Amino acid sequence: MTQNLADTTRLTASAATPAGEPRGWWRDAVIYQVYPRSFADANGDGMGDLPGVRSRLPYLRELGVDAVWLSPFYASPQADAGYDVADYRAVDPMFGSLLDADGLIRDAHALGLRIIVDLVPNHSSDQHEWFQRALREGPGSALRERYHFRPGKGETGELPPNDWESIFGGPAWTRTADPDGTPGDWYLHLFAPEQPDFNWDSPAVADEFRSILRFWLDMGVDGFRVDVAHGLVKAPGLPDLGTHDQLKLLGNDVMPFFDQDGVHEIYRAWRKILDEYPGERIAVAEAWTPTVERTANYVRPDELHQAFNFQYLGTAWDAAELRAVIDSSLAAMRPVDAPATWVLSNHDVTRHATRFANPPGGTQLRERGDRELGLRRARAATLLMLALPGSAYLYQGEELGLPDVTDLPDEVRQDPSFFRADGQDGFRDGCRVPLPWSGSTAPYGFGPTTGGPSWLPQPAEWAELSVEAQTGDPTSTLELYRSALAVRRERPELGAGREVEWLPSAPGVLAFRRGSFVCLANTTRQPVAYPTAGRLLLSSGEGVEPGLLAPDSTSWWAV
Ligand code: NOJ
């Protein structure tokens, strides 16, 4: 499929939103996550960068997505791959400059693509000027109010102030040394010790983030992905959990440090700022909550626009479970009038081609599994997702059917949680391996052949998975994504609305209608008879026979 890259009507038409026109470009947008370190390396240092992303924007336009979400590219010591920000208004030199960011935003807009940037408000880097000054100035410094500094427990303050654990493993507290070198207060970090948590009760913190929002809105970005949106407010007094089984509670309960009701006031203030700008600037919450109903609180009409649907991401390739999560997601969003969102992969979880290659359970896998089965199901799962009402998120490389790299040697791993966690969350490098673009040897066009090795090694078998290798091959996963996104663009009923009309189906099969469109997904490993009618638009499986759904496949029909 070729598209006219000069056609900018997609953006200008909806950005202008003249009075009376339906608003809400984001309600059914397909948003593509770029992980800048691993997307494209323009300067050959082995690390992706903004000029690299910029040079590949035509590829994203041709793929057919509506918007690009960029993971953090700000000044950062990279203790957590950029989710430890030292300066929120600067681009890290390893990724380029503010001028590169400006050029990227302009080029994207000229191509009809919107740009969403990551915002990390729960914590900064320990190298952030505020935190460094707070340490230097010692107890009593006003800067300490901007973080959570506390004296320790025990006779000499040798024990952490409470029993909270870091999401990356180990205590959520690290003890500081006073300016004279003696052991001093502790500070809170829900993630790595290099990521101290901000104290959102401090007006200076709230003011600073309102200003950071404006800085990037003035740069022209179309929205923000809000990191750890559920974590900003902590329960008063930072009470103990009273258990050392924090892992069991996480995701199942409201915690004293997650999903506190106070966070919503922050988002109401942010929404006012977003609404001041033309063109419908949006924010999407990374909010891990116990239920989809609590997730819906983040997207009430005066708060953020979208929230990731992690319940969907965690669902097995199983018709009954999928139907249940689709129904509950749509039901939860209805009362708040927010679009449902759907996501299968991101930079924190095992890619869905590898998840579905393994028995269900867990999003941090080390097993390669049955690759063929995983890819078949991944393709089917993607077509199912793209037929649901609402907005869908894609993670770079899934359009190539990339699996996780499950055999990275320990010495090349860089995920901080690998070094701290007890198998809890430590295998995120496997989904972060740089993309293969072209050629038969590493770095497969990720960077110039004269450059250094990529920051994580790419497997030899990725030559076959490169963009170049898949382009023009009608059986390739890349062409499946291109076709699916083209159909979705031609038939707005796929993403529109809030309902699916379920059709009767055999166990293991999902069948639903949306206007003149029907989606059929067979989640079983056997062919299933189904009285298909109408015209086949697209299928994730090969050799579609009339009246028979191929194993682990999804097909789209015009009726
Ligand atoms: C969520 C991000 O997606 C993840 O990569 C990061 O480690 C944590 N938040 C902490 O910022």
PDB file of all heavy atoms in Angstrom, residues 32-34 38-39 59-60 63 345 351-353 394-403 431 433-437 462 465 467 470 477-478 481:
ATOM      1  N   TYR A  32       1.494   4.638  18.284  1.00  0.00           N
ATOM      2  CA  TYR A  32       2.660   3.756  18.140  1.00  0.00           C
ATOM      3  C   TYR A  32       3.732   4.203  19.124  1.00  0.00           C
ATOM      4  O   TYR A  32       4.176   5.349  19.093  1.00  0.00           O
ATOM      5  CB  TYR A  32       3.159   3.860  16.706  1.00  0.00           C
ATOM      6  CG  TYR A  32       4.344   2.997  16.324  1.00  0.00           C
ATOM      7  CD1 TYR A  32       4.157   1.802  15.627  1.00  0.00           C
ATOM      8  CD2 TYR A  32       5.647   3.391  16.597  1.00  0.00           C
ATOM      9  CE1 TYR A  32       5.242   1.023  15.230  1.00  0.00           C
ATOM     10  CE2 TYR A  32       6.734   2.623  16.211  1.00  0.00           C
ATOM     11  CZ  TYR A  32       6.525   1.438  15.521  1.00  0.00           C
ATOM     12  OH  TYR A  32       7.605   0.667  15.123  1.00  0.00           O
ATOM     13  N   GLN A  33       4.157   3.306  19.986  1.00  0.00           N
ATOM     14  CA  GLN A  33       5.189   3.647  20.967  1.00  0.00           C
ATOM     15  C   GLN A  33       6.574   3.488  20.371  1.00  0.00           C
ATOM     16  O   GLN A  33       6.968   2.392  19.960  1.00  0.00           O
ATOM     17  CB  GLN A  33       5.082   2.767  22.216  1.00  0.00           C
ATOM     18  CG  GLN A  33       6.169   3.116  23.243  1.00  0.00           C
ATOM     19  CD  GLN A  33       6.238   2.174  24.425  1.00  0.00           C
ATOM     20  OE1 GLN A  33       5.447   1.234  24.534  1.00  0.00           O
ATOM     21  NE2 GLN A  33       7.185   2.416  25.307  1.00  0.00           N
ATOM     22  N   VAL A  34       7.331   4.581  20.387  1.00  0.00           N
ATOM     23  CA  VAL A  34       8.743   4.533  20.005  1.00  0.00           C
ATOM     24  C   VAL A  34       9.572   4.530  21.281  1.00  0.00           C
ATOM     25  O   VAL A  34       9.380   5.383  22.158  1.00  0.00           O
ATOM     26  CB  VAL A  34       9.116   5.755  19.132  1.00  0.00           C
ATOM     27  CG1 VAL A  34      10.618   5.953  19.073  1.00  0.00           C
ATOM     28  CG2 VAL A  34       8.554   5.583  17.725  1.00  0.00           C
ATOM     29  N   SER A  38      16.063   2.299  21.005  1.00  0.00           N
ATOM     30  CA  SER A  38      16.071   1.070  20.213  1.00  0.00           C
ATOM     31  C   SER A  38      15.378   1.203  18.871  1.00  0.00           C
ATOM     32  O   SER A  38      15.128   0.198  18.212  1.00  0.00           O
ATOM     33  CB  SER A  38      15.380  -0.050  21.008  1.00  0.00           C
ATOM     34  OG  SER A  38      15.983  -0.188  22.261  1.00  0.00           O
ATOM     35  N   PHE A  39      15.095   2.430  18.465  1.00  0.00           N
ATOM     36  CA  PHE A  39      14.324   2.589  17.227  1.00  0.00           C
ATOM     37  C   PHE A  39      15.255   2.777  16.031  1.00  0.00           C
ATOM     38  O   PHE A  39      15.277   1.952  15.117  1.00  0.00           O
ATOM     39  CB  PHE A  39      13.345   3.757  17.378  1.00  0.00           C
ATOM     40  CG  PHE A  39      12.322   3.828  16.283  1.00  0.00           C
ATOM     41  CD1 PHE A  39      11.359   2.837  16.154  1.00  0.00           C
ATOM     42  CD2 PHE A  39      12.305   4.879  15.389  1.00  0.00           C
ATOM     43  CE1 PHE A  39      10.400   2.891  15.141  1.00  0.00           C
ATOM     44  CE2 PHE A  39      11.360   4.956  14.371  1.00  0.00           C
ATOM     45  CZ  PHE A  39      10.418   3.950  14.248  1.00  0.00           C
ATOM     46  N   TYR A  59       8.187   6.039   7.508  1.00  0.00           N
ATOM     47  CA  TYR A  59       7.822   4.631   7.709  1.00  0.00           C
ATOM     48  C   TYR A  59       6.558   4.520   8.580  1.00  0.00           C
ATOM     49  O   TYR A  59       5.650   3.724   8.293  1.00  0.00           O
ATOM     50  CB  TYR A  59       9.001   3.904   8.370  1.00  0.00           C
ATOM     51  CG  TYR A  59       8.659   2.553   8.961  1.00  0.00           C
ATOM     52  CD1 TYR A  59       8.545   1.430   8.147  1.00  0.00           C
ATOM     53  CD2 TYR A  59       8.451   2.403  10.334  1.00  0.00           C
ATOM     54  CE1 TYR A  59       8.227   0.185   8.691  1.00  0.00           C
ATOM     55  CE2 TYR A  59       8.131   1.165  10.889  1.00  0.00           C
ATOM     56  CZ  TYR A  59       8.021   0.058  10.054  1.00  0.00           C
ATOM     57  OH  TYR A  59       7.701  -1.156  10.601  1.00  0.00           O
ATOM     58  N   LEU A  60       6.495   5.351   9.607  1.00  0.00           N
ATOM     59  CA  LEU A  60       5.338   5.289  10.515  1.00  0.00           C
ATOM     60  C   LEU A  60       4.093   5.825   9.829  1.00  0.00           C
ATOM     61  O   LEU A  60       2.991   5.323  10.018  1.00  0.00           O
ATOM     62  CB  LEU A  60       5.634   6.074  11.796  1.00  0.00           C
ATOM     63  CG  LEU A  60       6.790   5.495  12.613  1.00  0.00           C
ATOM     64  CD1 LEU A  60       7.068   6.361  13.828  1.00  0.00           C
ATOM     65  CD2 LEU A  60       6.456   4.068  13.047  1.00  0.00           C
ATOM     66  N   LEU A  63       3.009   3.103   7.626  1.00  0.00           N
ATOM     67  CA  LEU A  63       2.406   2.020   8.414  1.00  0.00           C
ATOM     68  C   LEU A  63       0.931   2.330   8.664  1.00  0.00           C
ATOM     69  O   LEU A  63       0.094   1.429   8.669  1.00  0.00           O
ATOM     70  CB  LEU A  63       3.174   1.886   9.732  1.00  0.00           C
ATOM     71  CG  LEU A  63       2.759   0.798  10.706  1.00  0.00           C
ATOM     72  CD1 LEU A  63       2.885  -0.590  10.071  1.00  0.00           C
ATOM     73  CD2 LEU A  63       3.614   0.861  11.986  1.00  0.00           C
ATOM     74  N   SER A 345       1.470  -4.952  23.964  1.00  0.00           N
ATOM     75  CA  SER A 345       2.906  -4.954  24.272  1.00  0.00           C
ATOM     76  C   SER A 345       3.366  -3.556  24.629  1.00  0.00           C
ATOM     77  O   SER A 345       2.772  -2.564  24.181  1.00  0.00           O
ATOM     78  CB  SER A 345       3.721  -5.433  23.057  1.00  0.00           C
ATOM     79  OG  SER A 345       3.641  -6.833  22.905  1.00  0.00           O
ATOM     80  N   ARG A 351       7.078  -9.299  24.994  1.00  0.00           N
ATOM     81  CA  ARG A 351       6.279  -9.046  23.783  1.00  0.00           C
ATOM     82  C   ARG A 351       5.200 -10.114  23.629  1.00  0.00           C
ATOM     83  O   ARG A 351       5.424 -11.285  23.965  1.00  0.00           O
ATOM     84  CB  ARG A 351       7.186  -9.062  22.553  1.00  0.00           C
ATOM     85  CG  ARG A 351       8.065  -7.827  22.421  1.00  0.00           C
ATOM     86  CD  ARG A 351       8.917  -7.954  21.176  1.00  0.00           C
ATOM     87  NE  ARG A 351       9.725  -6.780  20.926  1.00  0.00           N
ATOM     88  CZ  ARG A 351       9.287  -5.672  20.340  1.00  0.00           C
ATOM     89  NH1 ARG A 351       8.023  -5.586  19.947  1.00  0.00           N
ATOM     90  NH2 ARG A 351      10.091  -4.649  20.140  1.00  0.00           N
ATOM     91  N   HIS A 352       4.058  -9.722  23.017  1.00  0.00           N
ATOM     92  CA  HIS A 352       2.947 -10.688  22.990  1.00  0.00           C
ATOM     93  C   HIS A 352       3.259 -11.886  22.101  1.00  0.00           C
ATOM     94  O   HIS A 352       2.729 -12.968  22.331  1.00  0.00           O
ATOM     95  CB  HIS A 352       1.595 -10.050  22.720  1.00  0.00           C
ATOM     96  CG  HIS A 352       1.390  -9.324  21.442  1.00  0.00           C
ATOM     97  ND1 HIS A 352       1.926  -8.100  21.161  1.00  0.00           N
ATOM     98  CD2 HIS A 352       0.636  -9.638  20.358  1.00  0.00           C
ATOM     99  CE1 HIS A 352       1.512  -7.697  19.965  1.00  0.00           C
ATOM    100  NE2 HIS A 352       0.730  -8.619  19.456  1.00  0.00           N
ATOM    101  N   ALA A 353       4.154 -11.744  21.120  1.00  0.00           N
ATOM    102  CA  ALA A 353       4.500 -12.925  20.312  1.00  0.00           C
ATOM    103  C   ALA A 353       5.175 -13.989  21.180  1.00  0.00           C
ATOM    104  O   ALA A 353       5.062 -15.187  20.904  1.00  0.00           O
ATOM    105  CB  ALA A 353       5.415 -12.523  19.158  1.00  0.00           C
ATOM    106  N   LEU A 394       0.325   0.424  19.927  1.00  0.00           N
ATOM    107  CA  LEU A 394       1.258  -0.554  19.363  1.00  0.00           C
ATOM    108  C   LEU A 394       2.645  -0.245  19.915  1.00  0.00           C
ATOM    109  O   LEU A 394       2.988   0.923  20.130  1.00  0.00           O
ATOM    110  CB  LEU A 394       1.300  -0.449  17.837  1.00  0.00           C
ATOM    111  CG  LEU A 394      -0.033  -0.509  17.087  1.00  0.00           C
ATOM    112  CD1 LEU A 394       0.213  -0.363  15.579  1.00  0.00           C
ATOM    113  CD2 LEU A 394      -0.760  -1.816  17.382  1.00  0.00           C
ATOM    114  N   TYR A 395       3.428  -1.262  20.089  1.00  0.00           N
ATOM    115  CA  TYR A 395       4.804  -1.081  20.569  1.00  0.00           C
ATOM    116  C   TYR A 395       5.773  -1.404  19.445  1.00  0.00           C
ATOM    117  O   TYR A 395       5.641  -2.454  18.798  1.00  0.00           O
ATOM    118  CB  TYR A 395       5.052  -1.986  21.782  1.00  0.00           C
ATOM    119  CG  TYR A 395       6.494  -1.969  22.264  1.00  0.00           C
ATOM    120  CD1 TYR A 395       7.138  -0.759  22.533  1.00  0.00           C
ATOM    121  CD2 TYR A 395       7.196  -3.153  22.455  1.00  0.00           C
ATOM    122  CE1 TYR A 395       8.452  -0.742  22.980  1.00  0.00           C
ATOM    123  CE2 TYR A 395       8.505  -3.144  22.911  1.00  0.00           C
ATOM    124  CZ  TYR A 395       9.130  -1.933  23.171  1.00  0.00           C
ATOM    125  OH  TYR A 395      10.432  -1.913  23.602  1.00  0.00           O
ATOM    126  N   GLN A 396       6.731  -0.530  19.217  1.00  0.00           N
ATOM    127  CA  GLN A 396       7.636  -0.676  18.085  1.00  0.00           C
ATOM    128  C   GLN A 396       8.134  -2.120  17.946  1.00  0.00           C
ATOM    129  O   GLN A 396       8.534  -2.754  18.919  1.00  0.00           O
ATOM    130  CB  GLN A 396       8.825   0.268  18.217  1.00  0.00           C
ATOM    131  CG  GLN A 396       9.755  -0.022  19.379  1.00  0.00           C
ATOM    132  CD  GLN A 396      10.972   0.907  19.398  1.00  0.00           C
ATOM    133  OE1 GLN A 396      10.858   2.089  19.148  1.00  0.00           O
ATOM    134  NE2 GLN A 396      12.147   0.353  19.706  1.00  0.00           N
ATOM    135  N   GLY A 397       8.122  -2.608  16.722  1.00  0.00           N
ATOM    136  CA  GLY A 397       8.626  -3.957  16.464  1.00  0.00           C
ATOM    137  C   GLY A 397       7.544  -5.012  16.460  1.00  0.00           C
ATOM    138  O   GLY A 397       7.729  -6.085  15.893  1.00  0.00           O
ATOM    139  N   GLU A 398       6.395  -4.735  17.097  1.00  0.00           N
ATOM    140  CA  GLU A 398       5.353  -5.764  17.054  1.00  0.00           C
ATOM    141  C   GLU A 398       4.827  -5.907  15.642  1.00  0.00           C
ATOM    142  O   GLU A 398       4.371  -6.985  15.249  1.00  0.00           O
ATOM    143  CB  GLU A 398       4.220  -5.498  18.064  1.00  0.00           C
ATOM    144  CG  GLU A 398       3.360  -4.292  17.797  1.00  0.00           C
ATOM    145  CD  GLU A 398       2.118  -4.271  18.707  1.00  0.00           C
ATOM    146  OE1 GLU A 398       2.258  -3.858  19.861  1.00  0.00           O
ATOM    147  OE2 GLU A 398       1.025  -4.665  18.248  1.00  0.00           O
ATOM    148  N   GLU A 399       4.928  -4.827  14.834  1.00  0.00           N
ATOM    149  CA  GLU A 399       4.480  -4.926  13.444  1.00  0.00           C
ATOM    150  C   GLU A 399       5.416  -5.815  12.627  1.00  0.00           C
ATOM    151  O   GLU A 399       5.088  -6.174  11.496  1.00  0.00           O
ATOM    152  CB  GLU A 399       4.340  -3.529  12.827  1.00  0.00           C
ATOM    153  CG  GLU A 399       5.629  -2.831  12.405  1.00  0.00           C
ATOM    154  CD  GLU A 399       6.356  -2.135  13.562  1.00  0.00           C
ATOM    155  OE1 GLU A 399       6.094  -2.471  14.729  1.00  0.00           O
ATOM    156  OE2 GLU A 399       7.208  -1.261  13.290  1.00  0.00           O
ATOM    157  N   LEU A 400       6.570  -6.160  13.202  1.00  0.00           N
ATOM    158  CA  LEU A 400       7.478  -7.099  12.526  1.00  0.00           C
ATOM    159  C   LEU A 400       7.308  -8.502  13.114  1.00  0.00           C
ATOM    160  O   LEU A 400       8.019  -9.428  12.719  1.00  0.00           O
ATOM    161  CB  LEU A 400       8.931  -6.635  12.687  1.00  0.00           C
ATOM    162  CG  LEU A 400       9.210  -5.193  12.208  1.00  0.00           C
ATOM    163  CD1 LEU A 400      10.655  -4.800  12.507  1.00  0.00           C
ATOM    164  CD2 LEU A 400       8.920  -5.061  10.720  1.00  0.00           C
ATOM    165  N   GLY A 401       6.428  -8.626  14.073  1.00  0.00           N
ATOM    166  CA  GLY A 401       6.237  -9.914  14.751  1.00  0.00           C
ATOM    167  C   GLY A 401       7.435 -10.267  15.627  1.00  0.00           C
ATOM    168  O   GLY A 401       7.692 -11.446  15.888  1.00  0.00           O
ATOM    169  N   LEU A 402       8.155  -9.260  16.096  1.00  0.00           N
ATOM    170  CA  LEU A 402       9.358  -9.564  16.880  1.00  0.00           C
ATOM    171  C   LEU A 402       8.991 -10.323  18.151  1.00  0.00           C
ATOM    172  O   LEU A 402       8.034  -9.961  18.841  1.00  0.00           O
ATOM    173  CB  LEU A 402      10.090  -8.287  17.293  1.00  0.00           C
ATOM    174  CG  LEU A 402      10.755  -7.453  16.212  1.00  0.00           C
ATOM    175  CD1 LEU A 402      11.604  -6.360  16.857  1.00  0.00           C
ATOM    176  CD2 LEU A 402      11.603  -8.308  15.275  1.00  0.00           C
ATOM    177  N   PRO A 403       9.776 -11.338  18.467  1.00  0.00           N
ATOM    178  CA  PRO A 403       9.633 -11.982  19.776  1.00  0.00           C
ATOM    179  C   PRO A 403      10.529 -11.273  20.786  1.00  0.00           C
ATOM    180  O   PRO A 403      11.340 -10.425  20.415  1.00  0.00           O
ATOM    181  CB  PRO A 403      10.177 -13.388  19.509  1.00  0.00           C
ATOM    182  CG  PRO A 403      11.225 -13.174  18.449  1.00  0.00           C
ATOM    183  CD  PRO A 403      10.793 -11.973  17.631  1.00  0.00           C
ATOM    184  N   CYS A 431      12.527  -7.139  25.532  1.00  0.00           N
ATOM    185  CA  CYS A 431      11.612  -6.484  24.586  1.00  0.00           C
ATOM    186  C   CYS A 431      12.175  -5.157  24.103  1.00  0.00           C
ATOM    187  O   CYS A 431      11.489  -4.408  23.424  1.00  0.00           O
ATOM    188  CB  CYS A 431      10.232  -6.296  25.229  1.00  0.00           C
ATOM    189  SG  CYS A 431      10.234  -5.170  26.634  1.00  0.00           S
ATOM    190  N   VAL A 433      15.322  -4.775  22.569  1.00  0.00           N
ATOM    191  CA  VAL A 433      16.430  -4.964  21.624  1.00  0.00           C
ATOM    192  C   VAL A 433      16.167  -4.117  20.366  1.00  0.00           C
ATOM    193  O   VAL A 433      15.034  -4.078  19.871  1.00  0.00           O
ATOM    194  CB  VAL A 433      16.570  -6.464  21.294  1.00  0.00           C
ATOM    195  CG1 VAL A 433      17.593  -6.692  20.186  1.00  0.00           C
ATOM    196  CG2 VAL A 433      16.949  -7.233  22.559  1.00  0.00           C
ATOM    197  N   PRO A 434      17.208  -3.408  19.866  1.00  0.00           N
ATOM    198  CA  PRO A 434      17.007  -2.513  18.717  1.00  0.00           C
ATOM    199  C   PRO A 434      16.388  -3.173  17.489  1.00  0.00           C
ATOM    200  O   PRO A 434      16.646  -4.353  17.197  1.00  0.00           O
ATOM    201  CB  PRO A 434      18.422  -2.006  18.431  1.00  0.00           C
ATOM    202  CG  PRO A 434      19.082  -2.011  19.774  1.00  0.00           C
ATOM    203  CD  PRO A 434      18.548  -3.256  20.461  1.00  0.00           C
ATOM    204  N   LEU A 435      15.606  -2.399  16.784  1.00  0.00           N
ATOM    205  CA  LEU A 435      14.839  -2.905  15.635  1.00  0.00           C
ATOM    206  C   LEU A 435      15.728  -3.279  14.455  1.00  0.00           C
ATOM    207  O   LEU A 435      16.697  -2.592  14.164  1.00  0.00           O
ATOM    208  CB  LEU A 435      13.868  -1.827  15.130  1.00  0.00           C
ATOM    209  CG  LEU A 435      12.707  -1.408  16.001  1.00  0.00           C
ATOM    210  CD1 LEU A 435      11.702  -0.611  15.173  1.00  0.00           C
ATOM    211  CD2 LEU A 435      12.022  -2.617  16.630  1.00  0.00           C
ATOM    212  N   PRO A 436      15.352  -4.325  13.728  1.00  0.00           N
ATOM    213  CA  PRO A 436      16.029  -4.637  12.466  1.00  0.00           C
ATOM    214  C   PRO A 436      15.325  -3.948  11.298  1.00  0.00           C
ATOM    215  O   PRO A 436      14.138  -4.157  11.066  1.00  0.00           O
ATOM    216  CB  PRO A 436      15.872  -6.161  12.366  1.00  0.00           C
ATOM    217  CG  PRO A 436      14.585  -6.454  13.071  1.00  0.00           C
ATOM    218  CD  PRO A 436      14.356  -5.366  14.096  1.00  0.00           C
ATOM    219  N   TRP A 437      16.044  -3.118  10.586  1.00  0.00           N
ATOM    220  CA  TRP A 437      15.436  -2.387   9.466  1.00  0.00           C
ATOM    221  C   TRP A 437      15.768  -3.018   8.116  1.00  0.00           C
ATOM    222  O   TRP A 437      14.915  -3.118   7.246  1.00  0.00           O
ATOM    223  CB  TRP A 437      15.899  -0.924   9.470  1.00  0.00           C
ATOM    224  CG  TRP A 437      15.348  -0.148  10.622  1.00  0.00           C
ATOM    225  CD1 TRP A 437      15.919   0.033  11.853  1.00  0.00           C
ATOM    226  CD2 TRP A 437      14.088   0.533  10.672  1.00  0.00           C
ATOM    227  NE1 TRP A 437      15.097   0.792  12.663  1.00  0.00           N
ATOM    228  CE2 TRP A 437      13.968   1.113  11.955  1.00  0.00           C
ATOM    229  CE3 TRP A 437      13.051   0.732   9.757  1.00  0.00           C
ATOM    230  CZ2 TRP A 437      12.856   1.861  12.343  1.00  0.00           C
ATOM    231  CZ3 TRP A 437      11.951   1.478  10.132  1.00  0.00           C
ATOM    232  CH2 TRP A 437      11.847   2.033  11.416  1.00  0.00           C
ATOM    233  N   TRP A 462      17.243 -12.276  13.190  1.00  0.00           N
ATOM    234  CA  TRP A 462      16.416 -11.100  12.922  1.00  0.00           C
ATOM    235  C   TRP A 462      16.567 -10.563  11.506  1.00  0.00           C
ATOM    236  O   TRP A 462      15.810  -9.686  11.094  1.00  0.00           O
ATOM    237  CB  TRP A 462      16.670 -10.004  13.955  1.00  0.00           C
ATOM    238  CG  TRP A 462      15.900 -10.249  15.221  1.00  0.00           C
ATOM    239  CD1 TRP A 462      15.375 -11.449  15.628  1.00  0.00           C
ATOM    240  CD2 TRP A 462      15.530  -9.304  16.219  1.00  0.00           C
ATOM    241  NE1 TRP A 462      14.723 -11.305  16.834  1.00  0.00           N
ATOM    242  CE2 TRP A 462      14.812  -9.989  17.216  1.00  0.00           C
ATOM    243  CE3 TRP A 462      15.750  -7.935  16.384  1.00  0.00           C
ATOM    244  CZ2 TRP A 462      14.296  -9.367  18.356  1.00  0.00           C
ATOM    245  CZ3 TRP A 462      15.250  -7.304  17.510  1.00  0.00           C
ATOM    246  CH2 TRP A 462      14.534  -8.010  18.492  1.00  0.00           C
ATOM    247  N   LEU A 465      13.472 -10.863   9.781  1.00  0.00           N
ATOM    248  CA  LEU A 465      12.345 -10.095  10.332  1.00  0.00           C
ATOM    249  C   LEU A 465      12.443  -8.606  10.036  1.00  0.00           C
ATOM    250  O   LEU A 465      11.596  -7.825  10.469  1.00  0.00           O
ATOM    251  CB  LEU A 465      12.266 -10.313  11.854  1.00  0.00           C
ATOM    252  CG  LEU A 465      12.000 -11.757  12.291  1.00  0.00           C
ATOM    253  CD1 LEU A 465      12.029 -11.879  13.801  1.00  0.00           C
ATOM    254  CD2 LEU A 465      10.646 -12.227  11.759  1.00  0.00           C
ATOM    255  N   VAL A 467      12.412  -4.850   8.362  1.00  0.00           N
ATOM    256  CA  VAL A 467      11.411  -4.117   7.571  1.00  0.00           C
ATOM    257  C   VAL A 467      11.634  -4.416   6.092  1.00  0.00           C
ATOM    258  O   VAL A 467      10.682  -4.705   5.345  1.00  0.00           O
ATOM    259  CB  VAL A 467      11.525  -2.596   7.854  1.00  0.00           C
ATOM    260  CG1 VAL A 467      10.647  -1.800   6.900  1.00  0.00           C
ATOM    261  CG2 VAL A 467      11.170  -2.300   9.307  1.00  0.00           C
ATOM    262  N   GLN A 470      10.469  -7.879   5.049  1.00  0.00           N
ATOM    263  CA  GLN A 470       9.020  -8.123   5.091  1.00  0.00           C
ATOM    264  C   GLN A 470       8.215  -7.259   4.109  1.00  0.00           C
ATOM    265  O   GLN A 470       7.086  -7.608   3.773  1.00  0.00           O
ATOM    266  CB  GLN A 470       8.491  -7.870   6.509  1.00  0.00           C
ATOM    267  CG  GLN A 470       9.074  -8.827   7.531  1.00  0.00           C
ATOM    268  CD  GLN A 470       8.283  -8.838   8.829  1.00  0.00           C
ATOM    269  OE1 GLN A 470       7.062  -8.759   8.833  1.00  0.00           O
ATOM    270  NE2 GLN A 470       8.984  -8.959   9.940  1.00  0.00           N
ATOM    271  N   THR A 477       4.120 -10.192   8.594  1.00  0.00           N
ATOM    272  CA  THR A 477       3.389  -9.513   9.668  1.00  0.00           C
ATOM    273  C   THR A 477       3.349  -8.008   9.402  1.00  0.00           C
ATOM    274  O   THR A 477       2.337  -7.346   9.665  1.00  0.00           O
ATOM    275  CB  THR A 477       4.049  -9.828  11.018  1.00  0.00           C
ATOM    276  OG1 THR A 477       4.044 -11.255  11.165  1.00  0.00           O
ATOM    277  CG2 THR A 477       3.296  -9.211  12.183  1.00  0.00           C
ATOM    278  N   LEU A 478       4.421  -7.461   8.862  1.00  0.00           N
ATOM    279  CA  LEU A 478       4.427  -6.026   8.557  1.00  0.00           C
ATOM    280  C   LEU A 478       3.308  -5.676   7.577  1.00  0.00           C
ATOM    281  O   LEU A 478       2.566  -4.705   7.790  1.00  0.00           O
ATOM    282  CB  LEU A 478       5.789  -5.615   7.983  1.00  0.00           C
ATOM    283  CG  LEU A 478       5.917  -4.153   7.543  1.00  0.00           C
ATOM    284  CD1 LEU A 478       5.598  -3.198   8.685  1.00  0.00           C
ATOM    285  CD2 LEU A 478       7.319  -3.878   6.988  1.00  0.00           C
ATOM    286  N   TYR A 481      -0.068  -5.706   9.322  1.00  0.00           N
ATOM    287  CA  TYR A 481      -0.329  -4.473  10.076  1.00  0.00           C
ATOM    288  C   TYR A 481      -0.686  -3.330   9.126  1.00  0.00           C
ATOM    289  O   TYR A 481      -1.600  -2.544   9.390  1.00  0.00           O
ATOM    290  CB  TYR A 481       0.892  -4.092  10.920  1.00  0.00           C
ATOM    291  CG  TYR A 481       0.911  -4.690  12.313  1.00  0.00           C
ATOM    292  CD1 TYR A 481       1.125  -6.050  12.499  1.00  0.00           C
ATOM    293  CD2 TYR A 481       0.743  -3.905  13.449  1.00  0.00           C
ATOM    294  CE1 TYR A 481       1.167  -6.608  13.772  1.00  0.00           C
ATOM    295  CE2 TYR A 481       0.788  -4.450  14.730  1.00  0.00           C
ATOM    296  CZ  TYR A 481       1.002  -5.795  14.887  1.00  0.00           C
ATOM    297  OH  TYR A 481       1.037  -6.340  16.153  1.00  0.00           O
TER     298      TYR A 481
END
